[in-house]
Amino acid sequence: MGEFKEKKATCGTVCLKYLLFTYNCCFWLAGLAVMAVGIWTLALKSDYISLLASSTYLATAYILVVAGVVVMVTGVLGCCATFKERRNLLRLYFILLLLIFLLEIIAGVLAYVYYQQLNTELKENLKDTMIKQYHQPGHESVTSAVDKLQQEFHCCGSNNSQDWRDSEWIRSGEAGGRVVPDSCCKTVVPGCGQRDHASNIYKVEGGCITKLETFIQEHLRVIGAVGIGIACVQVFGMIFTCCLYRSLKLEHY
């Protein structure tokens, strides 16, 4: 009877080992995906960060990159802990899973909170940033971001093209007779911003604030969904780890 119980426990342990190993392979790939989303956000979607007053959007992307790296390392550790049946490694693996779980929950919550605050922040700050920092010394990143924003989204000014009348650059005389930046033009050529007719600039298409808000909200949804989604998957990993740890502990005794 004792032999039967021992064999049964061993079979259960083997099943848990292979289940946890399969989970870790998927988990490693998930970590790669999380890191890729974070890098994608930082490398390709961060052009407009200089236009935002808050650093929350940037923070969520960095958290995802860090979490992705830790997930990949943890996945390898989990495989080693599983097949070597080392309870101390399983404890470390569980702690890392819990840490990653918290990181990704934080990233998801930050993305959600910032998603709710984005409209207010843009309304309060975008116009001031554009008219006070565009083409000003030390604010080259803002100038580049504004030019790209207006060209990519076919817009002019924060609310409309009239916003540029308050621009320090336009009013300083350094604008060379321009009434709007050249990036407001439908066809950009040097000096085209001297004429603000609707046939020449993005005048009737509206301002950039709504389009920038939509753009950032779409990416916040991706960041939040990835963070919360992977965190939920990790709950299963922690359950499998606890079961295997308990099974190994019972076999040891």
Side-chain angles (χ1 to χ4, degrees):
M1 189 73 175
E3 291 179 1
F4 175 75
K5 285 183 178 179
E6 184 180 349
K7 186 175 180 181
K8 186 176 181 181
T10 303
C11 289
T13 302
V14 169
C15 289
L16 279 171
K17 280 171 61 177
Y18 281 102
L19 189 61
L20 192 56
F21 177 79
T22 303
Y23 169 84
N24 276 304
C25 290
C26 297
F27 191 53
W28 189 90
L29 292 173
L32 185 63
V34 169
M35 185 175 68
V37 169
I39 293 173
W40 169 70
T41 301
L42 292 173
L44 301 178
K45 305 299 176 182
S46 61
D47 301 295
Y48 308 123
I49 287 175
S50 58
L51 300 178
L52 304 176
S54 170
S55 58
T56 308
Y57 180 66
L58 189 61
T60 55
Y62 275 120
I63 288 174
L64 282 186
V65 172
V66 172
V69 172
V70 178
V71 163
M72 294 174 71
V73 173
T74 303
V76 175
L77 177 64
C79 291
C80 295
T82 301
F83 280 98
K84 289 189 176 182
E85 298 185 2
R86 299 278 296 276
R87 284 183 295 158
N88 57 339
L89 285 178
L90 282 173
R91 280 195 296 268
L92 177 60
Y93 175 65
F94 181 85
I95 292 169
L96 287 173
L97 277 181
L98 185 59
L99 175 64
I100 299 163
F101 175 81
L102 294 174
L103 277 175
E104 290 177 341
I105 287 293
I106 289 171
V109 170
L110 281 176
Y112 176 77
V113 170
Y114 190 53
Y115 182 92
Q116 302 299 319
Q117 297 175 345
L118 183 61
N119 180 267
T120 302
E121 178 185 316
L122 289 177
K123 283 181 178 178
E124 290 177 353
N125 299 294
L126 184 60
K127 181 179 177 180
D128 280 349
T129 300
M130 292 175 78
I131 64 175
K132 292 180 180 179
Q133 298 182 21
Y134 186 80
H135 259 300
Q136 299 302 308
H139 296 291
E140 289 77 13
S141 60
V142 172
T143 302
S144 176
V146 169
D147 286 338
K148 183 171 182 179
L149 175 67
Q150 295 189 142
Q151 276 296 295
E152 189 170 328
F153 293 108
H154 296 172
C155 56
C156 185
S158 176
N159 300 297
N160 53 59
S161 60
Q162 301 300 313
D163 291 342
W164 287 111
R165 291 182 177 181
D166 301 321
S167 167
E168 293 184 7
W169 176 65
I170 294 292
R171 297 169 68 180
S172 68
E174 296 178 4
R178 293 176 178 84
V179 289
V180 294
D182 291 344
S183 55
C184 281
C185 299
K186 296 178 178 179
T187 302
V188 177
V189 293
C192 64
Q194 294 174 352
R195 194 168 67 93
D196 63 351
H197 192 271
S199 63
N200 184 52
I201 68 168
Y202 296 114
K203 192 169 187 175
V204 296
E205 287 81 359
C208 300
I209 189 168
T210 304
K211 297 177 181 180
L212 179 59
E213 180 185 3
T214 301
F215 172 83
I216 294 176
Q217 284 181 338
E218 287 174 356
H219 293 93
L220 285 173
R221 280 196 289 267
V222 172
I223 292 172
V226 169
I228 300 296
I230 299 298
C232 291
V233 171
Q234 285 172 234
V235 174
F236 293 101
M238 288 187 277
I239 293 172
F240 294 152
T241 304
C242 289
C243 291
L244 180 58
Y245 183 86
R246 184 173 179 275
S247 179
L248 291 174
K249 188 175 182 180
L250 288 174
E251 286 187 14
H252 181 74
Y253 291 111

